[in-house]
Amino acid sequence: MSSLGVFLSIIAALSVGAMSPGPSFVMVSKIAISRSRMDGLAAALGMGIGGIGFSILALAGLTALLTQFGWLYIALKIAGGIYLAYIAYKIWRGASEPIEIGKAAADRSALTRSFATAFLTQISNPKTIVVYASIFAALLPKTIPIELFIAIPIGVFLVEAGWYTIVALAFSAQHPRRLYLKAKAWIDRAAGAVMAGLGLRLVVSGVTGR
């Protein structure tokens, strides 16, 4: 298979994974709907940068390190689960607090916070690097051409940032926002519960070794 064929196959596989519901989707949609469109786009950028990090780690073969040292992988899963649980707690605690949508758009610190929150949510799940590595191992040739080393991280960024940009634009539209303001407490608690469940699942899988 040509380098272009390999690249397109990897990007297609990763696109399906990026669109699967998970903590990243919950976080970006929550940021976009409750803060501002710019915050949602900052979060999408954070997801893209996180994707670059995972792709570089997978290309560097560091997944083999996690496989060899099982305790490290377990520790990362537990730490990631605890972080997601912490985010869930913050979302739940703020469910009853009123907000003024749109103010964050002119606040650089708020945009930075949205970016950082999304980035940390993205990298908090070490299973993602295993998914990346599995796809790479299945589709990459034994000797990886230099153009793929350059093109794959760029492609991963476009997939992750592109998909979550769509999510941010959709959830920052006026109609979703009006619905959110009417049922903020319930929506926030539901988002917090989902995030807590995902975090708990990550911790349990780390403890049980599954």
Side-chain angles (χ1 to χ4, degrees):
M1 189 184 295
S2 67
S3 293
L4 178 59
V6 170
F7 173 78
L8 293 176
S9 298
I10 289 175
I11 294 305
L14 292 177
S15 297
V16 174
M19 295 178 188
S20 301
S24 298
F25 180 86
V26 174
M27 181 52 62
V28 174
S29 59
K30 172 70 170 58
I31 288 173
I33 202 170
S34 64
R35 297 182 188 174
S36 73
R37 175 161 289 179
M38 288 303 297
D39 279 283
L41 295 177
L45 179 62
M47 293 297 173
I49 298 298
I52 289 178
F54 276 133
S55 66
I56 291 174
L57 289 175
L59 285 170
L62 293 188
T63 308
L65 181 65
L66 296 179
T67 303
Q68 184 176 358
F69 297 98
W71 62 268
L72 178 59
Y73 184 48
I74 291 172
L76 288 173
K77 288 171 77 172
I78 293 174
I82 291 173
Y83 173 75
L84 292 182
Y86 167 71
I87 293 296
Y89 166 73
K90 291 186 66 177
I91 293 174
W92 185 281
R93 189 181 64 177
S96 59
E97 297 177 0
I99 60 170
E100 292 183 40
I101 290 178
K103 273 194 170 183
D107 188 343
R108 286 187 179 181
S109 64
L111 295 178
T112 301
R113 186 173 68 252
S114 297
F115 171 88
T117 300
F119 174 77
L120 291 173
T121 300
Q122 172 79 309
I123 66 171
S124 66
N125 189 352
K127 283 186 175 181
T128 305
I129 190 176
V130 176
V131 172
Y132 273 58
S134 299
I135 293 173
F136 290 178
L139 297 174
L140 283 174
K142 188 173 183 180
T143 302
I144 306 174
I146 185 64
E147 61 265 22
L148 286 180
F149 271 109
I150 298 171
I152 287 176
I154 295 174
V156 168
F157 173 81
L158 294 176
V159 166
E160 297 282 353
W163 166 243
Y164 288 109
T165 292
I166 293 173
V167 172
L169 293 175
F171 280 89
S172 61
Q174 289 301 317
H175 184 60
R177 283 188 168 190
R178 284 196 297 268
L179 293 177
Y180 173 73
L181 288 174
K182 290 179 180 178
K184 177 182 181 298
W186 289 103
I187 292 173
D188 281 6
R189 286 174 183 142
V194 169
M195 192 70 79
L198 293 168
L200 179 61
R201 181 180 177 185
L202 198 56
V203 171
V204 170
S205 68
V207 172
T208 58
R210 296 180 180 177

